[in-house]
Amino acid sequence: MELIIIGGGPIGIACGLEAKKKGIPYVIIEKGTIVNSLFNYPVNMQFFSSSERLEIDEIPFISKEAKPKRNEALEYYRRIVTSNKLNIHLFEEVSEIAKEEETFTVQTDKASYSAKNVIIATGFYDLPNPLGVRGEDLPKVSHYYKDPHYYASQKLAVIGASNSAVDAALECWRKGAEVSMIIRGPEVGQRVKYWVRPDILNRIEEGSITAYYNSTVTEIRENELIIDTPEGERTLENDFVLALTGYQPNFDFLEAAGIRLSDDPKRLPDYNPETMETNIKGLYLAGVICGGMETHKWFIENSREHAQLILRHIVAKQKDPASV
């Protein structure tokens, strides 16, 4: 086989479409369902980007509003996969990438594959940033938010001030939860969706949602939450905690494959931005995983072109291996 694509999200799908157009034999390997990360987004989530910015391969994305919702995105990407009959293996997890001479071996929990080229397009949604506090492993703590109904009539603490945290706080409050937000900085994040930020600020100002600014969680207990605030330690009654503090790529997986990462906190992977090829010849990165810890840098709208860059380079190598 010529190409293995690891990750069946929008960018992995874009790479599959580009490979198919160029006649490159390929397979997409995805550990979950089609666009698994999007599937695990909150049920009512609305994208910051407009539908045309989420399009791949110039396939029109029609949505009811300018900014589509999760269910519309799932329909869009699923139809692309099925109508184009992409070669995708679902619910199959890659455990290892190894290279011997000019051939990669990709081992999964179901099979072993060989290919001349590999694209890693796995995103960063699977590994949440840990709080690193006692009680984080209690069943009442989650790093993922799905449906507000679950928290109705409960004392809910939302940790964070990003889009995901603000959406969760507002939705859960509107379904009857008693919501407190624990915010490390002095304000709600400036990158919060512009039509949502005034809503959360107004709810905080009127006292419907309690916000603790410049505060951190120091311990999570069965029925309580201990936080450090500028006024000193506070103990909050608590039933559930949503620790929506962001996510990070699987750096161990990248390093095990031989990809160099920067020594600074950004942990940027080593790749050529003109071809997306890493320091390992034939091993490419695509999508948000290129940003290391700068997970806000890459999105669908500005990384969909990675597919064209990569496949153009692969085709050039086929035509003249000595020239690239």
Side-chain angles (χ1 to χ4, degrees):
M1 187 177 296
E2 187 71 28
L3 175 62
I4 295 171
I5 302 164
I6 303 173
I11 305 305
I13 292 171
C15 291
L17 288 170
E18 195 68 19
K20 185 176 181 179
K21 284 197 300 183
K22 295 188 180 303
I24 302 294
Y26 72 95
V27 62
I28 303 171
I29 303 175
E30 166 56 53
K31 72 175 185 178
T33 188
I34 298 169
V35 291
N36 191 65
S37 292
L38 300 191
F39 174 75
N40 286 308
Y41 281 0
V43 292
N44 300 319
M45 196 209 81
Q46 187 170 28
F47 285 85
F48 189 93
S49 300
S50 55
S51 57
E52 70 271 10
R53 291 183 175 275
L54 299 176
E55 292 175 356
I56 55 176
D57 201 40
E58 299 183 349
I59 300 171
F61 184 171
I62 308 301
S63 58
K64 292 181 180 179
E65 302 177 49
K67 299 178 186 300
K69 295 187 176 180
R70 167 188 171 273
N71 64 323
E72 293 175 309
L74 294 180
E75 178 72 16
Y76 174 71
Y77 295 115
R78 181 176 68 247
R79 289 295 297 272
I80 288 177
V81 169
T82 55
S83 62
N84 286 278
K85 297 181 172 58
L86 293 185
N87 183 20
I88 184 168
H89 294 189
L90 300 173
F91 301 100
E92 184 170 353
E93 185 169 4
V94 173
S95 57
E96 184 181 14
I97 303 172
K99 185 179 184 183
E100 186 173 345
E101 296 182 354
E102 299 300 314
T103 302
F104 290 94
T105 299
V106 174
Q107 186 65 47
T108 77
D109 55 359
K110 294 182 178 179
S112 181
Y113 303 82
S114 296
K116 296 179 182 178
N117 302 281
V118 174
I119 300 173
I120 300 176
T122 50
F124 64 89
Y125 194 60
D126 294 322
L127 292 176
N129 293 324
L131 296 173
V133 301
R134 181 180 298 176
E136 186 174 4
D137 57 349
L138 287 172
K140 73 173 189 174
V141 181
S142 176
H143 290 277
Y144 297 92
Y145 163 66
K146 194 74 173 179
D147 193 312
H149 174 84
Y150 187 77
Y151 303 101
S153 301
Q154 299 295 291
K155 292 179 173 61
L156 172 67
V158 178
I159 305 172
S162 62
N163 276 301
S164 56
V166 168
D167 284 345
L170 287 169
E171 288 186 4
C172 292
W173 169 72
R174 291 196 162 96
K175 297 302 182 184
E178 183 181 321
V179 178
S180 298
M181 297 187 72
I182 318 302
I183 300 173
R184 183 174 54 185
E187 62 178 355
V188 171
Q190 288 290 337
R191 286 197 294 266
V192 169
K193 290 172 281 196
Y194 64 84
W195 67 94
V196 174
R197 196 169 189 271
D199 190 4
I200 188 66
L201 294 178
N202 287 335
R203 301 295 75 75
I204 292 171
E205 184 178 354
E206 71 188 16
S208 297
I209 293 174
T210 303
Y212 296 93
Y213 295 111
N214 298 305
S215 300
T216 56
V217 174
T218 57
E219 184 179 352
I220 302 171
R221 299 174 181 170
E222 196 68 41
N223 300 301
E224 295 176 330
L225 194 67
I226 312 301
I227 63 174
D228 183 28
T229 77
E231 290 75 37
E233 185 177 272
R234 294 283 301 270
T235 300
L236 309 181
E237 293 184 13
N238 175 258
D239 298 308
F240 289 99
V241 174
L242 284 172
L244 304 179
T245 52
Y247 308 91
Q248 60 181 274
N250 190 337
F251 294 117
D252 290 342
F253 180 71
L254 297 181
E255 289 185 310
I259 298 174
R260 289 193 297 261
L261 304 176
S262 65
D263 294 329
D264 57 49
K266 294 180 180 180
R267 306 210 71 192
L268 296 172
D270 185 352
Y271 69 94
N272 182 342
E274 295 181 359
T275 65
M276 309 309 295
E277 189 175 39
T278 69
N279 56 286
I280 305 297
K281 186 177 179 181
L283 181 58
Y284 300 84
L285 297 180
V288 297
I289 198 168
C290 299
M293 287 300 294
E294 295 183 315
T295 53
H296 61 279
K297 182 177 180 179
W298 292 104
F299 305 93
I300 297 171
E301 62 189 70
N302 66 352
S303 61
R304 52 190 175 181
E305 66 179 19
H306 292 173
Q308 296 176 343
L309 296 176
I310 295 169
L311 270 300
R312 187 182 303 135
H313 190 247
I314 290 175
V315 170
K317 288 194 298 184
Q318 287 182 327
K319 292 180 178 179
D320 187 3
S323 67
V324 294

